């Protein structure tokens, strides 16, 4: 079992995931890896960057390390709902792939669409990009790569829950072949406006990532 310490500055008991080592190139600039316990601080920092824009998450204030520790550990211990982190390939190669010397520039996760056993063939995808790397095509690279991984995780269907006002994300997933599977009108109070949520979905059983 992976252990996340309550103190982010303390040394975790295990600094690894139970999943096999994974390093895949994303284009020429980036590599994707399974997250390990030491990655939570950077993963959380990127997540918290997204809150102010009120486009990517329904959290309205910064999430703390303690609030996310159990969630992170659960993903690390799951063979079918991983978190992937993305690093710059050249820096990671220089510092050593398994060392944490290369900053995380993006991350993505597969999560349970609904916490009931029969839903195991369907998963929600989430992707967060560091502010300094927006607009560089990284979101598309990571999403395409994750869709390619999905069937090997036993995932047949991938869903994305996106605010209706988040046009860039809606456009990205539609380019990847996602279709609208649902609309939840006026379900989020964003402290200044009421937001609709769109569910986009795609079957990946016979995956074609050239969509």
């Amino acid at each position: 079992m992976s252990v996340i310490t309550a103190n982010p500055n303390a040394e975790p008991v295990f600094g690894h995931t139970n999943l096999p080592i994974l390093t895949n190139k994303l284009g020429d600039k980036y590599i994707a890896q399974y997250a390990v316990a030491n990655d939570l601080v950077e993963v959380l920092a990127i997540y918290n960057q997204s809150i102010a824009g009120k486009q990517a998450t329904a959290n309205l204030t910064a999430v703390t390390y303690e609030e996310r520790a159990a969630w992170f550990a659960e993903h690390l211990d799951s063979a079918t709902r991983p978190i992937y982190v993305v690093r710059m390939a050249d820096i990671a190669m220089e510092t050593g792939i398994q060392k944490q010397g290369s900053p995380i520039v993006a991350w993505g996760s597969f999560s349970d669409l609904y916490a009931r056993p029969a839903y195991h063939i369907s998963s929600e995808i989430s992707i967060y990009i560091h502010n300094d790397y927006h607009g560089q095509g990284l979101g598309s690279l990571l999403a395409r790569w994750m869709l390619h991984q999905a069937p090997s995780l036993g995932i047949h269907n991938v869903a994305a829950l996106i605010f209706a006002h988040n046009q860039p994300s809606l456009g990205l997933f539609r380019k990847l072949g996602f279709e609208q599977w649902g609309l939840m009108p006026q379900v989020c109070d964003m402290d200044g406006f009421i937001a609709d949520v769109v569910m986009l979905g795609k079957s990946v059983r016979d995956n074609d990532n050239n969509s």
Side-chain angles (χ1 to χ4, degrees):
M1 180 177 181
S2 299
V3 173
I4 307 294
T5 60
N7 179 357
N9 297 314
E11 193 70 23
V13 177
F14 298 105
H16 57 78
T17 172
N18 289 336
L19 297 171
I21 292 172
L22 168 85
T23 298
N24 274 52
K25 291 202 73 174
L26 297 183
D28 296 326
K29 295 182 179 179
Y30 310 104
I31 60 168
Q33 301 172 299
Y34 288 123
V36 298
N38 289 342
D39 292 333
L40 178 53
V41 172
E42 289 182 86
V43 165
L44 186 58
I46 292 173
Y47 179 83
N48 281 335
Q49 284 181 346
S50 71
I51 293 174
K54 296 185 178 181
Q55 290 203 84
T57 175
N59 276 308
L60 300 176
T61 58
V63 178
T64 68
Y65 188 98
E66 290 75 15
E67 289 171 334
R68 273 308 210 192
W71 164 84
F72 197 69
E74 183 177 348
H75 277 280
L76 295 194
D77 289 327
S78 173
T80 60
R81 297 294 185 262
I83 294 176
Y84 303 110
V85 296
V86 178
R87 305 176 189 275
M88 295 293 293
D90 54 350
I91 299 175
M93 295 298 181
E94 290 172 3
T95 57
I97 294 297
Q98 296 308 313
K99 296 179 182 178
Q100 303 305 300
S102 174
I104 295 171
V105 299
W107 64 271
S109 66
F110 285 118
S111 302
D112 288 340
L113 182 62
Y114 193 64
R116 296 291 184 273
Y119 283 91
H120 71 92
I121 60 172
S122 301
S123 180
E124 179 185 355
I125 188 173
S126 299
I127 291 175
Y128 292 89
I129 311 295
H130 190 288
N131 284 348
D132 293 344
Y133 292 84
H134 284 189
Q136 299 183 30
L138 179 53
S140 178
L141 276 175
L142 180 54
R144 287 178 183 273
W145 182 81
M146 288 180 65
L147 292 176
H148 182 73
Q149 305 303 308
S152 68
L153 303 173
I155 296 170
H156 296 181
N157 308 289
V158 177
L161 300 177
I162 303 172
F163 286 130
H165 61 276
N166 187 350
Q167 292 300 315
S169 289
L170 290 173
L172 166 64
F173 282 97
R174 283 173 174 147
K175 285 181 181 178
L176 295 175
F178 281 68
E179 299 176 344
Q180 184 165 323
W181 284 0
L183 172 66
M184 293 174 278
Q186 300 184 347
V187 292
C188 286
D189 180 355
M190 299 302 292
D191 190 22
F193 64 95
I194 303 298
D196 301 343
V197 173
V198 178
M199 174 185 276
L200 299 182
K202 179 178 180 177
S203 171
V204 293
R205 203 181 322 190
D206 299 312
N207 200 13
D208 177 6
N209 288 303
N210 293 319
S211 299

